[in-house]
Amino acid sequence: MATDDKYDRQLRMWGPHGQKALAEASVCCVGSNAIATETLKNLVLPGVAHLTIVDEAVVESADLGQNFFVEMQDVGHSRAKAALKHLLELNPDVKGEAVQQSVTSLLEKDEGFFQQFTLIIAAQTPQRDAVALCELCHRYNKAFIHLRGVGFIGTIRLFAREHAVIETKNESDFGDLRLTEPFKELKSYAMSVDVSSSSMDEVKHAHVPYVVILLKALEQFRNNYNGRLPSTAEEKETFKQFILAMRRSDKEVNFDEALKHMFKAFKAYTIDSSVKAILDDAKSISGHEPNNTAFWIVAKAVAQFESACGRLPLSGTLPDMTADTDSFIKLQSIYRQRAEGDVAAVRASVSSFLSGTDGDSGAGTAVMGVINGMRDINETHHHHPTKIDDEYIQRFCKHAHSIALFRYRTLAEETKPDTAMKDNIRESYDEFTADETSSEVPWYLALAAWEVFREEKGYVAGAKTDHDHSDDTLAGDVEALKGCARRVCTALDLPADAVPDKYLQELVRYGGCELHTTASFLGGVASQEAVKLITKQWIPLQNTLIWNGLHSRGAVLEL
Amino acid sequence: MTSRREAHLKEALGDDLYARVKRSRLLVVGAGGIGCELLKNLVLAGFDDIDIIDLDTIDVSNLNRQFLFRKHHVGQPKSTVAKESVASFSPHTRIQAHLGNIMEPRFACRYFSQFDVVLNALDNAKARSYVNSICIATERPLIESGTTGFKGQVRVIGGDVECYECQVQTNTEQTFAVCTIRSTPDRPEHCVQWAKYLYELMFGDPNDDNLLADLKHELKQEEHSDHNGKLVADRFAENIFNKLFKKDIEQNRELQDMAKNFFRPPPIPLSLDGAMRLTDGNGNIHGANGNASSSSSTTNAGTPAAIAEQKVWSVHECAQKFIGAITTMYNERGDEVGTLQFSKEDPIAVDFVAAASNLRSHNFHIAKKSRWDVQSIAGRIVPAIATTNAIVAGLQTVNLYHVLEQVMLQEKKEEKQAANGTTHTNGVAPHSDDKRSGTQQISLINSKCRNAWLQLWDSKQSKLVIGERLSAPRPDCVACSSPPARVTITDMDWTIGDFVATVIQGALQVKEPVVYFNNDPIWQHQYDDEEDDMDDDNCPEMSLSGRGLYDGCIIDINDLSDWTPVEPTDDNPMGKEYKSFNCVVFADVSVGSCPKGFRIDRPPKFKPPPPTPAPPAAENGSTPTGGVKRPRDEANGEASGLPAAKKGKSDSASSSAAAAAGGGVGEGGESVHDAIMIDDDGDHSYKAAVPAKPHQGEGDTVADAMVVDD
Ligand SMILES: [Zn+2]
């Protein structure tokens, strides 16, 4: 029964296969500060497999005021160990390890260390180390999230060299009924239903599925218009009249549904250009990312299917509609059988790729090459072709029309002036000059300056240091930070004074302090994105969230 | 504790706000998914004095997100376990946990008056609406929250901004026509609702809302007892089965034939014997487009139990489960029968509802649903995860700081007035428990508070969280347009007669009062020409407490001498809408020093007259139109969880006022502390997209207007 399962509610969101992905994920977090623990808490609860925390810090009393996962008796001990211990108490399913080392030294001595993880999170990691970690993640093909929080302000930056999503869960998905290109079985069934026959009784007539009504009206239209689809307003009206002519009474709900869904009969079958691009890519399969190999092999098979049939595999699901049980089941089985047939064709291609027997000279071998060089796809550990879960192929085919692929820019690309996304920043800056509330880009620029300040001065702007925390020092930090901001802005071809002084003053005022409130928010968003990256469901942020906690606004910008 | 542990916090908040945080009292309503997060956040946000209320006990399915609870806590009260978990982390914080329903009298106005701010972490519209009304009565700012799946929202309520009811959708729960449920179902949801009513009828104590209430008597006739007079459960179950799915359906069929209703196929009667033969079950998953339900042939993924539940039972299995659930209930849980309410966590209850609803679906040619889906529909289960709750609780905490800044402004103003010799009504100081005098309401409209919407992001959006300035209340809002009057008397031993004569007719000047408490009339005005004993239920000598009134209760006062004409109805043949208002009655011995032994803290404001046909909405999108705000895809007719962010709504209602209220960094003016957080004063509209409608197609039914997390 469901109540035995503590994961019941989340299974309703990402399904058993999403849960399986989580339960196999190994997450590494650099940092054990509040942002780190708030993020990890939300990954331990839903049940990731393994957690590694890297931090050389020891617990100080200041931690107790913001980090829920350290306690008084932990003061003076390793913060990574303390945080891990308290986090693992949340869920006995999760295992973990604490590494009491600085990320800087780990990067120098043993960068291979990071190869073992699914996802690497860097919480409050200074820019230089974060850039280096991101490069490493690019090389090892790991998902990466960089988190930063200062006072009420923060950023979340995602990276994945290549992130393939089958289930994008697009809310405006209309489904795939093939009304304009009915396959043989569908068409012959629709034509076999004689709506105009007087022998059809009232009940039956009021329960003809709207799919059948639309197919019949469209057939009639095409016979009159050289096989075209209705396109002008006039033609659409004609089409509507064909529907109304079949109707016996305005009480027939199925005809209301037909009129409501009429627009689906006006749009010729198309494959979204982004899906097409993925399929084109898949045709040259070698050299793709090892951890997406299953994706690429099935994509290649689907591409082959598409080349041969001019369409994608049928999704096979039928929405609820007014229909009598017999008609509905009949229609459902027509769609389902066709979908199963499509899956079988794709499955056959996949098998031939895997066994290297496909006719496409070279491609099979290329696939073999990719497979042999990878660590694992689906539980295969040996150097022979692996098997791809049939369930995965089915899921791919069902969602083939909405698959998506994301390639993220690295932090190095973001921060180098010659590769920075100057256009996006400029556009957002222009929005800001038109309306201060419509863009958070000044916070991004201010934080970039703040990082430069830290890099150059060796301390955080406004931080209490050994010397006196006088107003003079603060004013000095503000001036120095203004200088950094001018350089950052100039390098991005923005006006040198693009960041208003009040933003910089505010950052200096925080003195680098971490607030639990901000950590809680950033940890929530970061873990949500981590779930998307791990389960490969939904569309992850691209690629940066800028959080303005002063006005409860979170803007997304690709950088 | 102002030790080093909070040095950072003090730095970021500034000394004044930090000090105000330290002496604030908070009420958190709900210790579920959001409540756990919130409690943790508040403790780490510097708050030292928090009450938390929840009526629930911990269930296994809470553990994936309600992180203050562990497996060994299952079955214990949420509120007290949450308190203990936080206390072990932060022993200096004073947390009071209450196990109970927020709607109990002990938590009424008197109780609410102790707090500076109320934070909701609730899971149902009824409680939200109630807390809203008490916060209006006691002038407490309220910070609302809700999540569903990856989406969430936070709203700030109080003083001069919209209340919960201002924006709530008119139809808060999915309702179906009576006849749809009783005789003409055409969707699985209708059958599930029917089965839930049936469950209450058979195992609980159905109230008047139960559309099948009249069937109770008929079901009783099916009871079968042995010679000792003991009920034989399996025989009873068989009788019930044949009555509900065969005899009643046969009747239905005849009625339909008589009505010559040709537009629906006649229902199929199903006897128990017949059902037992239907084993093929055409295991189709009709309309089950949800991701979880779709992986029908999965064998190696996830939890097998979950997958088994996604299978659709055959008619035969439904019949077995139906009989099984009834016999189990009577044979093993007989002592509970008559008291049960449907719970989505009770496996027998879910079995029963899944079986009964599917059998009825079979009767009416409706596709059957899996147990998993039925549980979702019946329990109005919203997929709830840790991540969204954390985000929303973070948004609530940010707004809490901003609310307190406004409270400080208000307090400064009142201090100044006090210094200038402005006195309170009747010259008596407000009740000592009352955190604020309440003579002036808090102003939030130009504050830094934001109603925040967390969206499900896709590549087309530039915002993950939309923060929207607060707006003025709807002038015709039933809840906040006429906040209750407030009267303080010495004690509840006053007689009703004295209270009516002195306070209601005297001070409040209601000439011909009718007074209701909990919808019961406790006083009806008598006209001189009426015969003395006729219809006179008044008990002038009885004490207020004798009639059930308590310190901080709310009464409803109508004035028969003043009315507006309305369309006459059966209930109101005279077509008179009397003027009325609500009134909070507090008891406080200290008002004994007042000349008459009572004090009017807030004069009455009559409720708005009944609605006239709605005027066309104002053209300017930035003024409150009073309309119900809905996501743009309303036309799709899906139950929507979230009121949409208002498109084109300015984030900057009045820039000059905003500056005065908050002050920018380094600005002087009315600043309340030395380090005010930055405030922007742009004055252009958002280009933000309206949030998309809530997630669909995963079997989640969002019934409440605000989204929920249980
Ligand atoms: Zn209102």
Side-chain angles (χ1 to χ4, degrees):
Chain A
M1 70 188 128
T3 42
D4 268 351
D5 196 336
K6 66 183 171 194
Y7 299 132
D8 177 273
R9 296 301 183 270
Q10 66 201 42
L11 280 167
R12 289 169 200 267
M13 286 195 69
W14 50 66
H17 55 285
Q19 189 62 36
K20 181 168 180 268
L22 275 174
E24 289 171 358
S26 176
V27 176
C28 172
C29 184
V30 174
S32 56
N33 42 56
I35 295 185
T37 54
E38 287 301 303
T39 307
L40 295 176
K41 158 180 137 289
N42 302 331
L43 294 174
V44 169
L45 287 167
V48 295
H50 194 275
L51 194 63
T52 303
I53 303 181
V54 176
D55 201 338
E56 62 173 348
V58 291
V59 178
E60 295 175 30
S61 58
D63 288 319
L64 301 176
Q66 54 205 341
N67 194 333
F68 193 75
F69 296 92
V70 293
E71 286 179 1
M72 194 73 92
Q73 55 264 42
D74 299 324
V75 173
H77 299 285
S78 159
R79 196 170 66 183
K81 283 186 180 148
L84 183 77
K85 172 176 170 283
H86 297 300
L87 282 165
L88 293 186
E89 283 168 9
L90 298 177
N91 189 344
D93 298 352
V94 183
K95 305 285 172 276
E97 182 189 6
V99 178
Q100 203 180 345
Q101 271 194 65
S102 83
V103 65
T104 319
S105 70
L106 210 50
L107 280 168
E108 276 169 18
K109 290 178 207 149
D110 182 19
E111 54 172 46
F113 168 83
F114 292 100
Q115 243 182 316
Q116 56 185 307
F117 307 109
T118 319
L119 167 70
I120 292 154
I121 298 168
Q124 304 287 48
T125 311
Q127 191 79 16
R128 179 200 287 267
D129 286 340
V131 168
L133 265 175
C134 187
E135 285 305 297
L136 213 54
C137 289
H138 182 262
R139 192 177 337 142
Y140 295 144
N141 198 16
K142 303 293 174 189
F144 176 68
I145 301 177
H146 181 220
L147 297 165
R148 180 169 50 189
V150 187
F152 285 95
I153 308 301
T155 57
I156 297 177
R157 170 65 150 87
L158 268 58
F159 169 80
R161 195 162 88 192
E162 187 175 273
H163 182 70
V165 185
I166 296 176
E167 291 158 281
T168 48
K169 314 212 172 187
N170 190 335
E171 295 184 343
S172 54
D173 193 350
F174 290 129
D176 179 12
L177 293 173
R178 293 288 155 85
L179 294 176
T180 55
E181 287 188 16
F183 43 95
K184 200 176 90 231
E185 304 85 346
L186 178 62
K187 190 169 175 179
S188 63
Y189 171 68
M191 295 313 130
S192 75
V193 181
D194 191 355
V195 185
S196 54
S197 158
S198 55
S199 66
M200 183 183 276
D201 69 35
E202 270 89 348
V203 174
K204 195 98 186 135
H205 196 267
H207 288 80
V208 174
Y210 78 74
V211 169
V212 172
I213 298 170
L214 289 177
L215 284 167
K216 293 185 84 76
L218 195 59
E219 177 70 10
Q220 194 181 351
F221 184 90
R222 280 176 154 164
N223 288 340
N224 289 322
Y225 287 81
N226 300 324
R228 279 193 295 115
L229 293 175
S231 63
T232 66
E234 238 174 7
E235 288 168 2
K236 287 175 184 174
E237 181 57 31
T238 309
F239 179 80
K240 188 179 170 185
Q241 292 307 322
F242 289 154
I243 295 176
L244 293 175
M246 285 183 264
R247 192 176 197 166
R248 288 189 195 167
S249 148
D250 58 8
K251 283 182 188 156
E252 293 181 314
V253 180
N254 53 337
F255 280 86
D256 289 339
E257 290 175 1
L259 294 171
K260 188 178 151 198
H261 294 278
M262 200 164 67
F263 68 93
K264 292 178 185 170
F266 302 154
K267 196 170 173 290
Y269 181 85
T270 51
I271 299 172
D272 193 274
S273 60
S274 63
V275 174
K276 194 96 175 141
I278 296 171
L279 298 185
D280 288 344
D281 246 10
K283 287 172 186 162
S284 56
I285 188 158
S286 62
H288 281 303
E289 310 305 319
N291 70 347
N292 286 333
T293 305
F295 177 86
W296 284 114
I297 292 173
V298 182
K300 186 177 166 65
V302 169
Q304 204 169 60
F305 180 95
E306 193 267 333
S307 301
C309 311
R311 57 182 179 80
L312 296 172
L314 185 68
S315 75
T317 47
L318 192 58
D320 278 332
M321 62 188 69
T322 297
D324 56 274
T325 312
D326 290 345
S327 311
F328 188 84
I329 288 173
K330 176 73 188 157
L331 201 53
Q332 195 180 40
S333 73
I334 288 171
Y335 277 102
R336 196 170 49 206
Q337 275 168 21
R338 167 49 63 132
E340 281 167 7
D342 290 358
V343 169
V346 171
R347 186 190 295 128
S349 300
V350 169
S351 306
S352 73
F353 291 156
L354 292 178
S355 60
T357 56
D358 68 307
D360 187 359
S361 64
T365 352
V367 175
M368 295 276 292
V370 173
I371 291 162
N372 289 340
M374 83 189 59
R375 272 194 315 120
D376 73 307
I377 312 172
N378 286 285
E379 304 103 29
T380 302
H381 311 284
H382 307 291
H383 287 280
H384 60 71
T386 182
K387 186 177 169 301
I388 293 174
D389 275 350
D390 198 47
E391 187 261 340
Y392 183 84
I393 300 173
Q394 287 180 36
R395 196 146 28 87
F396 195 113
C397 291
K398 182 176 173 183
H399 300 286
H401 59 289
S402 59
I403 54 172
L405 187 74
F406 305 99
R407 296 193 174 98
Y408 284 82
R409 289 160 48 80
T410 64
L411 261 63
E413 287 170 315
E414 174 189 333
T415 46
K416 280 194 200 120
D418 54 330
T419 46
M421 275 287 211
K422 289 179 187 164
D423 291 351
N424 281 3
I425 294 170
R426 180 81 213 190
E427 192 186 331
S428 192
Y429 175 71
D430 289 343
E431 280 171 25
F432 171 77
T433 51
D435 173 6
E436 266 192 51
T437 67
S438 71
S439 161
E440 309 303 330
V441 84
W443 284 121
Y444 170 71
L445 298 169
L447 283 171
W450 184 85
E451 290 282 3
V452 172
F453 182 107
R454 174 160 66 176
E455 178 81 36
E456 291 179 356
K457 302 240 175 190
Y459 71 95
V460 165
K464 277 183 182 163
T465 46
D466 300 340
H467 57 279
D468 186 28
H469 185 55
S470 67
D471 289 346
D472 287 349
T473 333
L474 283 188
D477 281 0
V478 170
E479 282 313 309
L481 189 58
K482 282 182 190 170
C484 299
R486 275 192 290 273
R487 277 185 282 149
V488 166
C489 294
T490 312
L492 293 167
D493 301 338
L494 293 172
D497 60 350
V499 185
D501 288 352
K502 62 180 180 182
Y503 288 78
L504 302 169
Q505 286 160 349
E506 184 77 354
L507 284 189
V508 170
R509 197 175 70 72
Y510 294 143
C513 68
E514 211 178 70
L515 281 186
H516 182 80
T517 306
T518 303
S520 159
F521 175 86
L522 292 178
V525 177
S527 50
Q528 190 141 303
E529 296 308 312
V531 166
K532 292 180 188 173
L533 290 171
I534 293 169
T535 62
K536 302 204 163 103
Q537 296 180 30
W538 295 280
I539 300 173
L541 297 178
Q542 285 144 72
N543 52 20
T544 303
L545 173 81
I546 307 165
W547 168 238
N548 167 358
L550 298 170
H551 301 97
S552 306
R553 289 197 298 254
V556 184
L557 204 58
E558 188 170 9
L559 293 166
Chain B
M1 281 282 280
T2 53
S3 63
R4 274 179 48 73
R5 66 186 283 158
E6 288 187 345
H8 278 181
L9 185 66
K10 203 173 165 190
E11 190 89 354
L13 298 184
D15 292 343
D16 286 0
L17 181 56
Y18 179 76
R20 190 64 186 83
V21 163
K22 285 286 139 193
R23 61 189 170 85
S24 292
R25 293 197 63 190
L26 303 177
L27 170 61
V28 175
V29 190
I34 298 174
C36 280
E37 293 285 343
L38 196 52
L39 194 60
K40 174 208 71 185
N41 284 4
L42 295 176
V43 167
L44 288 168
F47 293 90
D48 286 337
D49 193 344
I50 304 165
D51 273 33
I52 186 159
I53 301 181
D54 200 297
L55 53 75
D56 258 350
T57 51
I58 296 160
D59 184 83
V60 179
S61 67
N62 301 146
L63 300 181
N64 78 328
R65 60 195 185 284
Q66 301 179 10
F67 71 99
L68 297 175
F69 312 143
R70 309 276 179 278
K71 190 130 193 172
H72 63 270
H73 291 132
V74 168
Q76 296 181 37
K78 287 184 174 179
S79 56
T80 47
V81 175
K83 173 211 157 109
E84 282 157 21
S85 293
V86 172
S88 73
F89 166 82
S90 177
H92 62 276
T93 309
R94 178 190 160 280
I95 300 175
Q96 289 206 55
H98 305 275
L99 172 64
N101 188 331
I102 188 66
M103 286 148 79
E104 291 168 35
R106 62 182 165 128
F107 302 125
C109 295
R110 166 62 73 209
Y111 177 76
F112 271 66
S113 299
Q114 317 165 57
F115 302 102
D116 290 286
V117 184
V118 179
L119 297 113
N120 267 356
L122 280 163
D123 66 354
N124 67 87
K126 195 171 167 191
R128 284 192 169 102
S129 176
Y130 175 82
V131 172
N132 180 61
S133 69
I134 302 296
C135 284
I136 290 167
T138 54
E139 293 174 312
R140 299 302 106 171
L142 168 65
I143 306 179
E144 230 337 327
S145 65
T147 69
T148 177
F150 279 162
K151 295 178 185 180
Q153 75 173 99
V154 166
R155 284 176 58 191
V156 183
I157 288 165
D160 53 356
V161 299
E162 286 183 320
C163 82
Y164 173 69
E165 307 284 356
C166 283
Q167 254 200 36
V168 86
Q169 289 159 30
T170 43
N171 191 5
T172 56
E173 296 232 327
Q174 207 180 345
T175 51
F176 304 113
V178 178
C179 68
T180 309
I181 299 295
R182 290 193 55 126
S183 49
T184 56
D186 56 22
R187 295 185 54 82
E189 287 77 10
H190 302 153
C191 300
V192 172
Q193 188 59 48
W194 176 87
K196 276 174 75 181
Y197 286 138
L198 181 67
Y199 177 85
E200 262 188 32
L201 215 55
M202 293 191 58
F203 310 117
D205 182 17
N207 57 22
D208 295 343
D209 298 340
N210 192 313
L211 298 182
L212 311 179
D214 57 302
L215 270 179
K216 185 150 181 95
H217 172 69
E218 291 178 37
L219 292 181
K220 191 104 184 132
Q221 291 178 338
E222 305 295 337
E223 284 184 8
H224 184 92
S225 306
D226 61 15
H227 55 275
N228 293 325
K230 192 177 173 303
L231 185 90
V232 183
D234 51 351
R235 277 294 295 279
F236 176 49
E238 287 167 25
N239 293 349
I240 291 276
F241 187 103
N242 285 320
K243 164 166 175 55
L244 293 172
F245 304 113
K246 182 165 177 284
K247 274 187 253 164
D248 286 359
I249 299 301
E250 281 164 354
Q251 265 182 24
N252 185 309
R253 193 180 173 122
E254 281 166 29
L255 286 173
Q256 195 177 316
D257 282 350
M258 270 166 21
K260 300 214 181 331
N261 184 347
F262 300 120
F263 295 109
R264 32 182 72 253
I268 316 161
L270 180 70
S271 69
L272 182 55
D273 292 342
M276 288 304 184
R277 288 193 295 271
L278 284 172
T279 51
D280 64 297
N282 62 53
N284 69 79
I285 308 176
H286 181 170
N289 302 328
N291 70 82
S293 333
S294 58
S295 46
S296 48
S297 66
T298 316
T299 48
N300 62 344
T303 51
I307 293 163
E309 285 189 24
Q310 288 162 33
K311 192 178 144 283
V312 179
W313 291 337
S314 66
V315 173
H316 171 86
E317 284 170 302
C318 289
Q320 280 182 326
K321 294 279 184 188
F322 182 82
I323 303 291
I326 296 177
T327 45
T328 309
M329 210 57 116
Y330 277 93
N331 292 340
E332 292 167 26
R333 295 168 60 179
D335 50 335
E336 294 174 64
V337 170
T339 63
L340 286 166
Q341 283 187 323
F342 175 77
S343 157
K344 60 180 180 287
E345 315 296 356
D346 180 341
I348 313 262
V350 177
D351 275 353
F352 177 88
V353 170
S357 63
N358 278 330
L359 289 166
R360 187 163 174 86
S361 288
H362 178 85
N363 286 145
F364 287 93
H365 311 272
I366 299 165
K368 298 201 299 292
K369 289 271 178 191
S370 68
R371 183 190 190 278
W372 170 278
D373 287 338
V374 170
Q375 189 188 23
S376 274
I377 299 167
R380 302 205 164 96
I381 290 179
V382 173
I385 49 173
T387 58
T388 317
N389 290 339
I391 298 170
V392 160
L395 289 169
Q396 269 182 297
T397 316
V398 170
N399 275 296
L400 174 58
Y401 286 137
H402 295 327
V403 168
L404 281 179
E405 288 181 280
Q406 296 310 113
V407 169
M408 289 164 70
L409 273 178
Q410 183 68 26
E411 285 168 346
K412 279 218 157 162
K413 216 189 275 175
E414 282 168 21
E415 257 170 48
K416 217 183 266 174
Q417 282 169 353
N420 292 343
T422 317
T423 52
H424 294 286
T425 328
N426 291 2
V428 178
H431 191 278
S432 49
D433 276 4
D434 204 334
K435 301 291 283 191
R436 295 197 328 276
S437 72
T439 49
Q440 285 163 339
Q441 62 175 8
I442 183 175
S443 175
L444 294 172
I445 195 145
N446 290 321
S447 70
K448 282 173 265 174
C449 298
R450 293 291 181 274
N451 287 337
W453 276 263
L454 171 70
Q455 314 191 79
L456 179 65
W457 193 79
D458 69 42
S459 317
K460 290 174 214 79
Q461 284 153 342
S462 65
K463 291 189 167 63
L464 181 73
V465 177
I466 296 178
E468 171 193 279
R469 271 186 190 275
L470 311 189
S471 43
R474 265 170 60 178
D476 59 345
C477 174
V478 286
C480 68
S481 65
S482 51
R486 197 153 79 212
V487 173
T488 308
I489 54 178
T490 45
D491 50 58
M492 302 311 276
D493 295 338
W494 277 53
T495 65
I496 296 175
D498 279 352
F499 182 74
V500 169
T502 318
V503 178
I504 296 181
Q505 291 179 305
L508 299 177
Q509 301 193 355
V510 176
K511 286 184 204 130
E512 299 169 5
V514 178
V515 183
Y516 295 88
F517 172 62
N518 279 346
N519 293 324
D520 281 337
I522 58 166
W523 184 270
Q524 304 208 36
H525 183 73
Q526 298 296 307
Y527 295 98
D528 292 340
D529 55 349
E530 274 178 301
E531 285 180 44
D532 270 352
D533 296 333
M534 288 286 286
D535 288 340
D536 189 357
D537 295 331
N538 296 338
C539 308
E541 296 308 315
M542 192 184 256
S543 69
L544 294 174
S545 56
R547 276 311 290 254
L549 277 68
Y550 48 85
D551 180 15
C553 69
I554 298 180
I555 56 174
D556 179 12
I557 301 171
N558 291 250
D559 190 350
L560 298 186
S561 70
D562 200 352
W563 48 270
T564 40
V566 291
E567 193 70 31
T569 62
D570 287 349
D571 289 342
N572 183 4
M574 305 288 284
K576 287 180 179 178
E577 179 78 23
Y578 294 106
K579 284 231 172 146
S580 71
F581 62 92
N582 287 344
C583 180
V584 188
V585 184
F586 279 123
D588 180 357
V589 283
S590 72
V591 297
S593 60
C594 295
K596 287 175 176 168
F598 70 91
R599 185 180 73 211
I600 307 294
D601 299 310
R602 183 164 54 194
K605 190 173 173 199
F606 289 103
K607 290 178 192 168
T612 45
E619 276 177 37
N620 181 349
S622 69
T623 54
T625 60
V628 175
K629 285 121 192 161
R630 282 249 186 134
R632 62 172 170 210
D633 316 64
E634 175 179 41
N636 286 7
E638 294 291 336
S640 95
L642 300 158
K646 279 151 285 186
K647 201 174 189 173
K649 183 86 191 177
S650 174
D651 188 50
S652 51
S654 151
S655 52
S656 55
V665 172
E667 289 175 18
E670 275 282 308
S671 62
V672 287
H673 54 84
D674 48 8
I676 287 192
M677 291 174 264
I678 201 164
D679 202 351
D680 53 14
D681 29 81
D683 53 359
H684 295 269
S685 297
Y686 257 134
K687 292 178 195 75
V690 177
K693 68 174 185 287
H695 213 72
Q696 293 166 21
E698 293 190 13
D700 50 329
T701 307
V702 184
D704 285 346
M706 280 283 279
V707 278
V708 301
D709 170 28
D710 57 351

